[in-house]
Short mmCIF file of all heavy atoms in Angstrom, two decimals:
data_model
loop_
_atom_site.label_atom_id
_atom_site.label_comp_id
_atom_site.label_asym_id
_atom_site.label_seq_id
_atom_site.Cartn_x
_atom_site.Cartn_y
_atom_site.Cartn_z
N MET A 1 14.32 19.77 24.28
CA MET A 1 14.87 18.81 23.34
C MET A 1 14.39 17.38 23.62
O MET A 1 14.03 16.69 22.69
CB MET A 1 16.39 18.91 23.38
CG MET A 1 17.04 18.20 22.26
SD MET A 1 16.65 19.03 20.71
CE MET A 1 17.99 18.51 19.74
N PRO A 2 14.39 16.92 24.89
CA PRO A 2 13.89 15.57 25.15
C PRO A 2 12.41 15.41 24.78
O PRO A 2 11.99 14.33 24.37
CB PRO A 2 14.09 15.36 26.64
CG PRO A 2 15.15 16.32 27.02
CD PRO A 2 14.99 17.49 26.11
N VAL A 3 11.63 16.46 24.92
CA VAL A 3 10.23 16.38 24.58
C VAL A 3 10.07 16.17 23.08
O VAL A 3 9.24 15.37 22.63
CB VAL A 3 9.48 17.66 25.04
CG1 VAL A 3 8.05 17.66 24.54
CG2 VAL A 3 9.54 17.79 26.55
N LEU A 4 10.88 16.85 22.29
CA LEU A 4 10.83 16.70 20.83
C LEU A 4 11.22 15.28 20.43
O LEU A 4 10.57 14.67 19.57
CB LEU A 4 11.75 17.71 20.16
CG LEU A 4 11.73 17.74 18.64
CD1 LEU A 4 10.34 18.12 18.14
CD2 LEU A 4 12.76 18.72 18.14
N ALA A 5 12.24 14.73 21.06
CA ALA A 5 12.66 13.36 20.77
C ALA A 5 11.57 12.36 21.17
O ALA A 5 11.32 11.39 20.45
CB ALA A 5 13.95 13.04 21.49
N LEU A 6 10.91 12.61 22.29
CA LEU A 6 9.83 11.73 22.73
C LEU A 6 8.65 11.79 21.77
O LEU A 6 8.09 10.74 21.40
CB LEU A 6 9.39 12.12 24.13
CG LEU A 6 8.26 11.29 24.73
CD1 LEU A 6 8.70 9.84 24.90
CD2 LEU A 6 7.81 11.87 26.04
N LEU A 7 8.29 12.97 21.32
CA LEU A 7 7.20 13.11 20.36
C LEU A 7 7.53 12.42 19.04
O LEU A 7 6.68 11.76 18.44
CB LEU A 7 6.89 14.58 20.12
CG LEU A 7 6.18 15.29 21.25
CD1 LEU A 7 6.03 16.77 20.93
CD2 LEU A 7 4.83 14.68 21.52
N PHE A 8 8.77 12.55 18.58
CA PHE A 8 9.18 11.89 17.35
C PHE A 8 9.12 10.38 17.50
O PHE A 8 8.66 9.68 16.60
CB PHE A 8 10.59 12.34 16.95
CG PHE A 8 11.04 11.76 15.66
CD1 PHE A 8 10.48 12.17 14.47
CD2 PHE A 8 12.03 10.79 15.62
CE1 PHE A 8 10.89 11.62 13.27
CE2 PHE A 8 12.44 10.24 14.43
CZ PHE A 8 11.88 10.66 13.25
N ALA A 9 9.56 9.86 18.65
CA ALA A 9 9.52 8.41 18.89
C ALA A 9 8.09 7.91 18.92
O ALA A 9 7.78 6.85 18.36
CB ALA A 9 10.23 8.09 20.20
N VAL A 10 7.20 8.65 19.54
CA VAL A 10 5.78 8.26 19.58
C VAL A 10 5.20 8.26 18.17
O VAL A 10 4.45 7.35 17.80
CB VAL A 10 4.99 9.20 20.51
CG1 VAL A 10 3.49 9.01 20.35
CG2 VAL A 10 5.40 8.96 21.95
N PHE A 11 5.55 9.26 17.38
CA PHE A 11 5.06 9.32 16.00
C PHE A 11 5.55 8.12 15.19
O PHE A 11 4.79 7.52 14.44
CB PHE A 11 5.52 10.62 15.33
CG PHE A 11 5.21 10.69 13.88
CD1 PHE A 11 3.91 10.91 13.44
CD2 PHE A 11 6.21 10.52 12.93
CE1 PHE A 11 3.62 10.96 12.09
CE2 PHE A 11 5.93 10.57 11.58
CZ PHE A 11 4.63 10.79 11.16
N VAL A 12 6.81 7.78 15.33
CA VAL A 12 7.38 6.66 14.57
C VAL A 12 6.70 5.35 14.97
O VAL A 12 6.32 4.55 14.10
CB VAL A 12 8.91 6.58 14.78
CG1 VAL A 12 9.47 5.27 14.27
CG2 VAL A 12 9.59 7.76 14.11
N VAL A 13 6.53 5.12 16.25
CA VAL A 13 5.89 3.89 16.70
C VAL A 13 4.43 3.83 16.23
O VAL A 13 3.96 2.78 15.77
CB VAL A 13 5.98 3.76 18.24
CG1 VAL A 13 5.10 2.63 18.76
CG2 VAL A 13 7.42 3.56 18.67
N ALA A 14 3.73 4.95 16.31
CA ALA A 14 2.34 4.98 15.86
C ALA A 14 2.25 4.72 14.36
O ALA A 14 1.36 4.00 13.90
CB ALA A 14 1.71 6.32 16.21
N PHE A 15 3.17 5.30 13.60
CA PHE A 15 3.17 5.09 12.15
C PHE A 15 3.46 3.63 11.81
O PHE A 15 2.81 3.06 10.93
CB PHE A 15 4.17 6.01 11.47
CG PHE A 15 4.15 5.92 9.98
CD1 PHE A 15 3.10 6.45 9.26
CD2 PHE A 15 5.18 5.30 9.29
CE1 PHE A 15 3.06 6.36 7.88
CE2 PHE A 15 5.16 5.20 7.92
CZ PHE A 15 4.10 5.73 7.21
N GLU A 16 4.40 3.02 12.51
CA GLU A 16 4.71 1.61 12.25
C GLU A 16 3.52 0.71 12.61
O GLU A 16 3.25 -0.25 11.90
CB GLU A 16 5.95 1.19 13.04
CG GLU A 16 7.23 1.74 12.46
CD GLU A 16 8.45 1.29 13.21
OE1 GLU A 16 8.33 0.52 14.19
OE2 GLU A 16 9.55 1.72 12.83
N GLU A 17 2.83 1.02 13.69
CA GLU A 17 1.65 0.24 14.05
C GLU A 17 0.54 0.40 13.01
O GLU A 17 -0.14 -0.57 12.67
CB GLU A 17 1.13 0.66 15.43
CG GLU A 17 1.99 0.19 16.56
CD GLU A 17 2.02 -1.32 16.69
OE1 GLU A 17 0.98 -1.97 16.51
OE2 GLU A 17 3.11 -1.85 16.96
N LEU A 18 0.38 1.60 12.50
CA LEU A 18 -0.61 1.85 11.44
C LEU A 18 -0.27 1.06 10.19
O LEU A 18 -1.14 0.43 9.58
CB LEU A 18 -0.68 3.34 11.11
CG LEU A 18 -1.61 3.72 9.96
CD1 LEU A 18 -3.07 3.49 10.37
CD2 LEU A 18 -1.39 5.16 9.56
N VAL A 19 1.00 1.06 9.81
CA VAL A 19 1.43 0.30 8.62
C VAL A 19 1.20 -1.18 8.84
O VAL A 19 0.70 -1.88 7.95
CB VAL A 19 2.90 0.60 8.29
CG1 VAL A 19 3.45 -0.38 7.27
CG2 VAL A 19 3.06 2.02 7.78
N GLN A 20 1.53 -1.68 10.02
CA GLN A 20 1.34 -3.11 10.30
C GLN A 20 -0.14 -3.47 10.28
O GLN A 20 -0.52 -4.50 9.73
CB GLN A 20 1.95 -3.47 11.64
CG GLN A 20 1.83 -4.94 11.95
CD GLN A 20 2.49 -5.30 13.27
OE1 GLN A 20 2.95 -4.45 13.99
NE2 GLN A 20 2.51 -6.57 13.58
N TRP A 21 -0.98 -2.64 10.85
CA TRP A 21 -2.41 -2.92 10.88
C TRP A 21 -3.01 -2.86 9.48
O TRP A 21 -3.82 -3.70 9.10
CB TRP A 21 -3.10 -1.90 11.79
CG TRP A 21 -4.58 -1.94 11.71
CD1 TRP A 21 -5.41 -2.91 12.21
CD2 TRP A 21 -5.43 -0.98 11.08
NE1 TRP A 21 -6.72 -2.60 11.94
CE2 TRP A 21 -6.76 -1.41 11.24
CE3 TRP A 21 -5.19 0.21 10.41
CZ2 TRP A 21 -7.83 -0.70 10.75
CZ3 TRP A 21 -6.26 0.92 9.92
CH2 TRP A 21 -7.56 0.46 10.10
N ARG A 22 -2.56 -1.90 8.69
CA ARG A 22 -3.16 -1.68 7.38
C ARG A 22 -2.59 -2.62 6.30
O ARG A 22 -3.32 -3.11 5.46
CB ARG A 22 -2.93 -0.23 7.00
CG ARG A 22 -3.29 0.18 5.64
CD ARG A 22 -4.75 0.44 5.50
NE ARG A 22 -5.01 0.67 4.08
CZ ARG A 22 -6.02 1.29 3.62
NH1 ARG A 22 -6.91 1.76 4.43
NH2 ARG A 22 -6.19 1.44 2.34
N PHE A 23 -1.27 -2.85 6.31
CA PHE A 23 -0.62 -3.55 5.21
C PHE A 23 0.02 -4.88 5.60
O PHE A 23 0.60 -5.56 4.75
CB PHE A 23 0.44 -2.66 4.57
CG PHE A 23 -0.12 -1.36 4.07
CD1 PHE A 23 0.28 -0.16 4.62
CD2 PHE A 23 -1.05 -1.35 3.06
CE1 PHE A 23 -0.24 1.03 4.17
CE2 PHE A 23 -1.57 -0.16 2.59
CZ PHE A 23 -1.16 1.03 3.16
N GLY A 24 -0.03 -5.27 6.84
CA GLY A 24 0.45 -6.57 7.27
C GLY A 24 1.97 -6.71 7.26
O GLY A 24 2.71 -5.75 7.41
N VAL A 25 2.40 -7.93 7.06
CA VAL A 25 3.82 -8.27 7.14
C VAL A 25 4.63 -7.58 6.04
O VAL A 25 5.75 -7.12 6.29
CB VAL A 25 4.00 -9.80 7.06
CG1 VAL A 25 5.46 -10.18 7.06
CG2 VAL A 25 3.27 -10.47 8.21
N VAL A 26 4.08 -7.47 4.85
CA VAL A 26 4.80 -6.84 3.75
C VAL A 26 5.04 -5.36 4.07
O VAL A 26 6.10 -4.81 3.79
CB VAL A 26 4.04 -7.00 2.42
CG1 VAL A 26 4.75 -6.29 1.30
CG2 VAL A 26 3.88 -8.46 2.09
N GLY A 27 4.07 -4.72 4.68
CA GLY A 27 4.23 -3.32 5.07
C GLY A 27 5.31 -3.14 6.12
O GLY A 27 6.09 -2.19 6.06
N VAL A 28 5.35 -4.04 7.08
CA VAL A 28 6.40 -3.98 8.10
C VAL A 28 7.76 -4.21 7.47
O VAL A 28 8.74 -3.52 7.79
CB VAL A 28 6.12 -5.01 9.22
CG1 VAL A 28 7.29 -5.10 10.18
CG2 VAL A 28 4.84 -4.66 9.95
N PHE A 29 7.85 -5.17 6.56
CA PHE A 29 9.11 -5.44 5.87
C PHE A 29 9.57 -4.21 5.08
O PHE A 29 10.75 -3.85 5.11
CB PHE A 29 8.95 -6.64 4.94
CG PHE A 29 10.18 -6.99 4.16
CD1 PHE A 29 11.29 -7.50 4.80
CD2 PHE A 29 10.23 -6.78 2.79
CE1 PHE A 29 12.44 -7.82 4.08
CE2 PHE A 29 11.35 -7.09 2.07
CZ PHE A 29 12.47 -7.61 2.71
N ALA A 30 8.65 -3.55 4.42
CA ALA A 30 8.98 -2.34 3.66
C ALA A 30 9.45 -1.22 4.58
O ALA A 30 10.39 -0.49 4.28
CB ALA A 30 7.79 -1.89 2.83
N MET A 31 8.78 -1.08 5.74
CA MET A 31 9.20 -0.05 6.70
C MET A 31 10.59 -0.34 7.24
O MET A 31 11.39 0.57 7.41
CB MET A 31 8.21 0.02 7.87
CG MET A 31 6.99 0.82 7.60
SD MET A 31 7.34 2.56 7.33
CE MET A 31 8.08 3.01 8.87
N VAL A 32 10.88 -1.61 7.48
CA VAL A 32 12.22 -1.98 7.97
C VAL A 32 13.26 -1.66 6.90
O VAL A 32 14.31 -1.10 7.21
CB VAL A 32 12.26 -3.47 8.38
CG1 VAL A 32 13.67 -3.94 8.59
CG2 VAL A 32 11.42 -3.68 9.62
N LEU A 33 12.97 -2.01 5.65
CA LEU A 33 13.91 -1.70 4.57
C LEU A 33 14.15 -0.20 4.47
O LEU A 33 15.28 0.26 4.33
CB LEU A 33 13.38 -2.22 3.24
CG LEU A 33 13.64 -3.66 2.90
CD1 LEU A 33 12.94 -4.02 1.59
CD2 LEU A 33 15.11 -3.94 2.80
N LEU A 34 13.08 0.56 4.54
CA LEU A 34 13.19 2.01 4.42
C LEU A 34 13.99 2.60 5.58
O LEU A 34 14.90 3.41 5.37
CB LEU A 34 11.80 2.64 4.37
CG LEU A 34 11.72 4.14 4.16
CD1 LEU A 34 12.34 4.52 2.82
CD2 LEU A 34 10.28 4.60 4.22
N SER A 35 13.71 2.19 6.79
CA SER A 35 14.42 2.76 7.93
C SER A 35 15.87 2.30 8.01
O SER A 35 16.76 3.09 8.32
CB SER A 35 13.69 2.44 9.23
OG SER A 35 13.64 1.07 9.45
N VAL A 36 16.13 1.04 7.71
CA VAL A 36 17.52 0.55 7.71
C VAL A 36 18.33 1.24 6.61
O VAL A 36 19.46 1.65 6.82
CB VAL A 36 17.57 -0.98 7.56
CG1 VAL A 36 18.96 -1.48 7.23
CG2 VAL A 36 17.05 -1.64 8.82
N GLY A 37 17.73 1.37 5.45
CA GLY A 37 18.42 2.06 4.36
C GLY A 37 18.70 3.51 4.68
O GLY A 37 19.75 4.05 4.33
N TRP A 38 17.77 4.14 5.38
CA TRP A 38 17.95 5.55 5.74
C TRP A 38 19.06 5.70 6.77
O TRP A 38 19.94 6.55 6.64
CB TRP A 38 16.65 6.10 6.27
CG TRP A 38 16.66 7.57 6.57
CD1 TRP A 38 17.59 8.48 6.14
CD2 TRP A 38 15.71 8.30 7.33
NE1 TRP A 38 17.25 9.72 6.60
CE2 TRP A 38 16.10 9.64 7.34
CE3 TRP A 38 14.56 7.94 8.00
CZ2 TRP A 38 15.39 10.62 8.00
CZ3 TRP A 38 13.86 8.92 8.65
CH2 TRP A 38 14.27 10.24 8.64
N HIS A 39 19.07 4.85 7.78
CA HIS A 39 20.09 4.94 8.82
C HIS A 39 21.47 4.53 8.30
O HIS A 39 22.47 5.08 8.74
CB HIS A 39 19.72 4.09 10.03
CG HIS A 39 18.58 4.64 10.81
ND1 HIS A 39 18.67 5.81 11.53
CD2 HIS A 39 17.31 4.20 10.98
CE1 HIS A 39 17.51 6.06 12.11
NE2 HIS A 39 16.67 5.09 11.78
N ALA A 40 21.51 3.58 7.37
CA ALA A 40 22.79 3.12 6.82
C ALA A 40 23.23 3.96 5.63
O ALA A 40 24.29 3.70 5.07
CB ALA A 40 22.68 1.66 6.42
N LYS A 41 22.38 4.91 5.23
CA LYS A 41 22.65 5.75 4.06
C LYS A 41 22.84 4.90 2.80
O LYS A 41 23.71 5.15 1.98
CB LYS A 41 23.84 6.66 4.30
CG LYS A 41 23.58 7.63 5.40
CD LYS A 41 24.67 8.62 5.56
CE LYS A 41 24.31 9.52 6.61
NZ LYS A 41 24.43 10.31 7.40
N ASN A 42 22.00 3.88 2.70
CA ASN A 42 22.00 2.98 1.55
C ASN A 42 20.79 3.34 0.69
O ASN A 42 19.65 3.06 1.04
CB ASN A 42 21.93 1.53 2.02
CG ASN A 42 22.05 0.55 0.89
OD1 ASN A 42 21.85 0.89 -0.27
ND2 ASN A 42 22.37 -0.68 1.23
N VAL A 43 21.06 3.97 -0.44
CA VAL A 43 19.99 4.48 -1.29
C VAL A 43 19.16 3.34 -1.87
O VAL A 43 17.93 3.44 -1.95
CB VAL A 43 20.58 5.36 -2.41
CG1 VAL A 43 19.51 5.82 -3.36
CG2 VAL A 43 21.32 6.53 -1.82
N THR A 44 19.79 2.26 -2.25
CA THR A 44 19.07 1.13 -2.84
C THR A 44 18.05 0.54 -1.87
O THR A 44 16.89 0.32 -2.22
CB THR A 44 20.06 0.04 -3.28
OG1 THR A 44 21.01 0.61 -4.16
CG2 THR A 44 19.34 -1.10 -3.98
N CYS A 45 18.47 0.32 -0.66
CA CYS A 45 17.59 -0.26 0.36
C CYS A 45 16.43 0.69 0.66
O CYS A 45 15.28 0.27 0.76
CB CYS A 45 18.40 -0.55 1.62
SG CYS A 45 17.55 -1.53 2.83
N SER A 46 16.72 1.97 0.77
CA SER A 46 15.67 2.96 1.02
C SER A 46 14.68 3.03 -0.13
O SER A 46 13.46 3.11 0.09
CB SER A 46 16.29 4.35 1.22
OG SER A 46 17.10 4.37 2.34
N CYS A 47 15.19 3.00 -1.33
CA CYS A 47 14.31 3.07 -2.51
C CYS A 47 13.41 1.84 -2.61
O CYS A 47 12.23 1.97 -2.94
CB CYS A 47 15.13 3.24 -3.78
SG CYS A 47 15.84 4.87 -3.95
N VAL A 48 13.95 0.68 -2.34
CA VAL A 48 13.14 -0.54 -2.40
C VAL A 48 12.03 -0.48 -1.36
O VAL A 48 10.87 -0.78 -1.65
CB VAL A 48 14.02 -1.80 -2.21
CG1 VAL A 48 13.16 -3.03 -1.99
CG2 VAL A 48 14.93 -1.99 -3.40
N GLY A 49 12.35 -0.07 -0.15
CA GLY A 49 11.34 0.07 0.89
C GLY A 49 10.28 1.09 0.52
O GLY A 49 9.08 0.87 0.73
N ALA A 50 10.70 2.22 -0.03
CA ALA A 50 9.75 3.27 -0.43
C ALA A 50 8.85 2.80 -1.57
O ALA A 50 7.65 3.08 -1.57
CB ALA A 50 10.50 4.53 -0.83
N VAL A 51 9.42 2.08 -2.52
CA VAL A 51 8.62 1.59 -3.65
C VAL A 51 7.60 0.56 -3.18
O VAL A 51 6.43 0.59 -3.60
CB VAL A 51 9.53 1.01 -4.75
CG1 VAL A 51 8.74 0.22 -5.77
CG2 VAL A 51 10.30 2.13 -5.43
N VAL A 52 7.99 -0.34 -2.30
CA VAL A 52 7.06 -1.35 -1.79
C VAL A 52 5.93 -0.68 -1.03
O VAL A 52 4.76 -1.02 -1.19
CB VAL A 52 7.80 -2.39 -0.94
CG1 VAL A 52 6.81 -3.31 -0.23
CG2 VAL A 52 8.76 -3.21 -1.78
N LEU A 53 6.26 0.30 -0.17
CA LEU A 53 5.21 1.02 0.54
C LEU A 53 4.28 1.75 -0.40
O LEU A 53 3.06 1.74 -0.23
CB LEU A 53 5.82 2.01 1.53
CG LEU A 53 6.22 1.46 2.88
CD1 LEU A 53 6.87 2.55 3.72
CD2 LEU A 53 5.03 0.88 3.61
N THR A 54 4.85 2.35 -1.43
CA THR A 54 4.02 3.07 -2.41
C THR A 54 3.09 2.11 -3.14
O THR A 54 1.91 2.41 -3.34
CB THR A 54 4.92 3.80 -3.42
OG1 THR A 54 5.80 4.67 -2.71
CG2 THR A 54 4.11 4.58 -4.42
N LEU A 55 3.62 0.95 -3.52
CA LEU A 55 2.77 -0.04 -4.20
C LEU A 55 1.65 -0.55 -3.29
O LEU A 55 0.53 -0.77 -3.75
CB LEU A 55 3.62 -1.20 -4.69
CG LEU A 55 4.54 -0.91 -5.87
CD1 LEU A 55 5.45 -2.11 -6.15
CD2 LEU A 55 3.73 -0.55 -7.10
N LEU A 56 1.95 -0.71 -2.01
CA LEU A 56 0.91 -1.13 -1.08
C LEU A 56 -0.16 -0.06 -0.91
O LEU A 56 -1.34 -0.38 -0.80
CB LEU A 56 1.53 -1.47 0.28
CG LEU A 56 2.30 -2.77 0.35
CD1 LEU A 56 3.02 -2.87 1.70
CD2 LEU A 56 1.40 -3.95 0.16
N ILE A 57 0.25 1.18 -0.87
CA ILE A 57 -0.71 2.28 -0.70
C ILE A 57 -1.57 2.44 -1.95
O ILE A 57 -2.79 2.61 -1.86
CB ILE A 57 0.02 3.59 -0.36
CG1 ILE A 57 0.62 3.48 1.05
CG2 ILE A 57 -0.90 4.78 -0.46
CD1 ILE A 57 1.57 4.59 1.42
N VAL A 58 -0.96 2.34 -3.13
CA VAL A 58 -1.68 2.52 -4.39
C VAL A 58 -2.65 1.36 -4.63
O VAL A 58 -3.74 1.57 -5.15
CB VAL A 58 -0.69 2.69 -5.56
CG1 VAL A 58 -1.41 2.65 -6.89
CG2 VAL A 58 0.06 3.99 -5.40
N HIS A 59 -2.24 0.19 -4.27
CA HIS A 59 -3.05 -1.00 -4.53
C HIS A 59 -4.27 -0.92 -3.70
O HIS A 59 -5.33 -1.04 -3.75
CB HIS A 59 -2.28 -2.26 -4.19
CG HIS A 59 -2.98 -3.52 -4.59
ND1 HIS A 59 -4.30 -3.78 -4.31
CD2 HIS A 59 -2.54 -4.59 -5.25
CE1 HIS A 59 -4.61 -4.95 -4.77
NE2 HIS A 59 -3.56 -5.47 -5.34
#
């Protein structure tokens, strides 16, 4: 179980670094919105973060 948690943490950190490198400050802001909304179970915050990330990826 600790190995699975460690792998998940490494994946999350690597993904956040990739987003920051690729999309800059706006990408980090979108990731924060998405993760905070997910942890707080706030659908609006999660959706805004997801939409911003999608727009950055599509653009």
